[in-house]
Amino acid sequence: MTANFTPALGHTALSGLYDPAIALLTREPLWRSRLLEQVAPSPGETIIDLGCGTGSFAIAMANRAPDARIFGLDPDGDILRRAETKTAAAGQAVRFIQGFSRDVAALLGEDAADKVVSSLVFHQLPMAEKRAGLAASLRALKPGGTLHVADYGRQSGAMRVLFRLVQSLDGYENTQPNADGVLPTLMAEAGFTQVQVLDVIPTATGSISLYRAVRR
């Protein structure tokens, strides 16, 4: 696969530092626990973790609902190998697939998932890829299925200043639309309904918003 993506922490050489950096700089235990409560994985559900990274949230969902079918999708082969190692150590069964967010419906099937979840991914994507990823997520969901996103959203006040660290790593052009609050608009344009911002969590790198949306 062509490495046409932004690696974890913006540079491949930093991928090994991803987990401790995210834990230190983003209040990860707080927003991940709230996202997990929001997603509420249930037995028998099919859930896709879009841009799954090293598999931390996929493992958390599998721990919550061992009988759910959890898939992790990410374009970064090195990160996926780390995810597979971590998941095996946790004794959980998560299927990891290499691919871009825009390919999720093609790779895992249309009308296939009860829930699609994404953590700290969309702020890294160019606008065209944000749109393509959301459109593909809609197609991958069953009617009535839900999208759950934890990501940098609208930044204001001191949060806008702190967010510059993320922009220095992931690039201004891709991240600025998130800082301007574009995600709910893009979700609605993709065809999602009941688009909500359920929580906003201030962190040392800017505020992280939790979104929920529904496929009709």
Side-chain angles (χ1 to χ4, degrees):
M1 175 175 291
T2 302
N4 186 22
F5 58 88
T6 302
L9 297 181
H11 301 278
T12 301
L14 299 178
S15 292
L17 301 175
Y18 181 80
D19 283 351
I22 293 299
L24 177 66
L25 297 174
T26 72
R27 303 178 72 189
E28 180 185 32
L30 178 59
W31 66 258
R32 280 207 192 276
S33 64
R34 292 186 183 178
L35 181 62
L36 186 62
E37 292 302 318
Q38 178 180 314
V39 176
S42 298
E45 289 184 331
T46 298
I47 306 174
I48 301 170
D49 189 355
L50 196 67
C52 61
T54 61
S56 297
F57 196 69
I59 292 170
M61 290 191 291
N63 287 336
R64 176 67 67 89
D67 293 329
R69 293 177 294 275
I70 310 294
F71 295 87
L73 181 72
D74 201 285
D76 189 333
D78 177 60
I79 283 289
L80 286 180
R81 286 187 287 274
R82 296 172 190 271
E84 289 168 348
T85 299
K86 184 192 295 186
T87 304
Q92 290 295 352
V94 177
R95 182 183 173 193
F96 292 103
I97 300 170
Q98 189 172 8
F100 293 95
S101 58
R102 64 174 180 261
D103 300 323
V104 60
L107 290 171
L108 291 169
E110 299 196 1
D111 304 336
D114 297 282
K115 295 165 182 174
V116 171
V117 60
S118 175
S119 306
L120 303 187
V121 172
F122 279 98
H123 75 279
Q124 297 182 323
L125 302 180
M127 280 293 289
E129 293 296 315
K130 295 183 204 292
R131 289 190 169 97
L134 289 169
S137 296
L138 184 81
R139 295 195 304 274
L141 282 165
K142 300 173 183 177
T146 51
L147 173 70
H148 303 267
V149 175
D151 212 329
Y152 294 101
R154 183 179 297 279
Q155 307 294 316
S156 59
M159 293 297 105
R160 185 172 287 271
V161 176
L162 293 172
F163 187 59
R164 290 174 185 166
L165 173 61
V166 175
Q167 294 188 300
S168 70
L169 291 170
D170 293 338
Y172 180 89
E173 183 177 358
N174 294 343
T175 58
Q176 189 58 39
N178 275 58
D180 293 335
V182 76
L183 280 184
T185 299
L186 294 183
M187 290 175 186
E189 288 177 354
F192 285 99
T193 63
Q194 302 178 49
V195 179
Q196 299 173 280
V197 181
L198 297 181
D199 206 349
V200 179
I201 300 169
T203 82
T205 53
S207 58
I208 292 175
S209 297
L210 271 59
Y211 306 88
R212 182 183 186 275
V214 180
R215 178 185 170 179
R216 286 193 187 91

